[in-house]
Structures are given as structure tokens and as C-alpha cells.
Amino acid sequence: KAGVTQTPRYLIKTRGQQVTLSCSPISGHRSVSWYQQTPGQGLQFLFEYFSETQRNKGNFPGRFSGRQFSNSRSEMNVSTLELGDSALYLCASSQRRGSNTEAFFGQGTRLTVV
Amino acid sequence: GDSVTQMEGPVTLSEEAFLTINCTYTATGYPSLFWYVQYPGEGLQLLLKATKADDKGSNKGFEATYRKETTSFHLEKGSVQVSDSAVYFCALSEPSGGSNYKLTFGKGTLLTVNP
């Protein structure tokens, strides 16, 4: 069974640009969550999608957005990039929504904003 | 809101030493508790979990017991190996009317095991 696939693995963007990251969950998983990982803030929750609907959102500005497609694949978009957006962005998928459900993580996309 | 506090390290041990990484949490209800591990250049992998008080999660020689009275979920291993070198994250997930599903993570603890 293929794991969670995130593309691209690495990105370098310039301040002010926008970027789109992609996440393909494990087959059969309908819940996809996104996290931002930085050395200073650690792992912070961005948002969760289930059945193409955003179900939960973390404390990030509106420049961060996402969507989920009918095949459960998800994308997140960051507009008007800032230097502080440089981070590892991790996607996690799970079969269902529930507090004890195991989340499976992808390898992440390393975004560098210059 | 929910929060997780874990010893930040870094922790450096010799092979076969005993490992403890402390983790305490704050939650309003009855969360599920997790330990995730991140090897260099990789995403996070679930190491173990516990879903109710007094549950013990275990995997690959690692153990952690859900202690509601002390709101703790300390990670232990009796004899670490070089291959255990990684960053370890304590996390919780708390149900909230079925509409709030997210993992809240601690800052992570870097473990280095020397031969």
C-alpha cells in the first residue's frame, strides 16, 4: 500500500509569490490534515479536510488555504509569501475522523522563501 | 486550549542506556495520547498510542503509560540503540463534538545515541 505522497519535496520561492503544495493520501483515507513545522514553533496545525470540506482550521492567516478533491487528494496554497513561511509542510491522512485515529504522515515539502 | 509540554533536549545517550522523555499535557476532556518519531529527512511515524487512562502503549521496545492523575505520558525504553536516534514528539488529540480533529504536538526532543 503506497504511503502519503507529497509533491514537490523541495521548493524555493521569492517573497510575494504564491505556492501550491500537493498531497495524495493513502488509498481509502478520506481525512487529510496539514501541518507547518519550523524550528521555532514546532508542529502547528493548519487545517483538516474530510469529504472535500474543511472541517477544522488552525490559527493561520487567510493567505493559507486549501482544498480537497473528490479522490481525497488535497492541495494547500500560500499566497503573498513571506520569509517566515519558510518551513517543512507536512500532510497527514487517516481513514476517518476521530481522536484515537492514527495519522500517517508524508515526507513533507520543504519550502524556502528568499 | 490543549497543550503538550515535553523535555526539549537534546538528549545524548550511549548505546544500551535507559531512556526517559517526559511529556505532560493539558486538555479539557479525555484525549488520546501519541508518541511520534521523525527520522532525519522523513515525515512523522506513529510510535505508540494510548486512548484511555492507565492504557500502556508499546512498540519496538518503547513504552508509555497514560497517567490521568498526573496528566503525563512519559516515553521509556530500557536499552536504546544507535538506530533510535531521531526526534520524538508527544501529541494529543481530543474529541470535540465530532467537529474538531487535530493533533496538538509538543516541541519535540532530539535523541542522539552514540555507539
Side-chain angles (χ1 to χ4, degrees):
Chain A
K1 204 174 193 181
V4 178
T5 303
Q6 291 188 246
T7 56
R9 289 293 309 278
Y10 302 92
L11 266 178
I12 300 176
K13 290 286 188 179
T14 304
R15 269 183 303 174
Q17 288 186 311
Q18 75 164 16
V19 67
T20 299
L21 312 182
S22 179
C23 172
S24 294
I26 291 172
S27 177
H29 286 194
R30 296 169 61 195
S31 172
V32 174
S33 299
W34 289 88
Y35 295 84
Q36 182 195 64
Q37 185 178 20
T38 59
Q41 299 298 317
L43 279 152
Q44 293 186 287
F45 172 77
L46 280 155
F47 28 64
E48 185 226 351
Y49 285 87
F50 183 82
S51 294
E52 302 178 63
T53 303
Q54 187 181 91
R55 303 296 179 133
N56 195 11
K57 191 177 191 312
N59 193 22
F60 278 82
R63 300 185 296 107
F64 292 82
S65 63
R67 59 178 175 168
Q68 186 180 36
F69 302 95
S70 59
N71 61 358
S72 294
R73 189 177 72 85
S74 178
E75 291 181 345
M76 68 164 281
N77 184 277
V78 188
S79 62
T80 319
L81 284 166
E82 301 176 358
L83 295 179
D85 297 333
S86 295
L88 179 67
Y89 290 88
L90 291 166
C91 164
S93 75
S94 60
Q95 277 188 308
R96 64 185 187 280
R97 307 182 73 244
S99 63
N100 61 355
T101 302
E102 177 180 357
F104 293 82
F105 284 80
Q107 291 183 294
T109 294
R110 173 76 62 186
L111 172 64
T112 302
V113 182
V114 298
Chain B
D2 297 346
S3 66
V4 176
T5 302
Q6 64 178 102
M7 57 188 283
E8 292 191 20
V11 174
T12 302
L13 296 172
S14 298
E15 209 164 21
E16 300 184 4
F18 183 84
L19 168 72
T20 300
I21 301 178
N22 290 336
C23 171
T24 57
Y25 68 89
T26 301
T28 53
Y30 302 93
S32 293
L33 302 174
F34 306 83
W35 277 101
Y36 280 84
V37 58
Q38 186 176 33
Y39 298 102
E42 302 290 325
L44 276 69
Q45 302 174 24
L46 178 66
L47 182 59
L48 53 83
K49 71 176 184 181
T51 59
K52 60 182 187 296
D54 299 325
D55 265 2
K56 177 186 282 190
S58 61
N59 186 25
K60 299 181 181 179
F62 291 89
E63 293 183 341
T65 300
Y66 190 139
R67 300 286 188 201
K68 192 171 187 305
E69 64 275 14
T70 55
T71 61
S72 65
F73 193 54
H74 305 320
L75 182 68
E76 296 182 336
K77 186 175 186 183
S79 176
V80 294
Q81 305 300 313
V82 172
S83 58
D84 294 327
S85 298
V87 181
Y88 292 81
F89 293 91
C90 185
L92 70 80
S93 178
E94 185 168 29
S96 178
S99 64
N100 186 6
Y101 170 52
K102 67 174 183 177
L103 286 163
T104 300
F105 287 91
K107 294 283 192 183
T109 301
L110 173 62
L111 170 66
T112 302
V113 180
N114 295 317

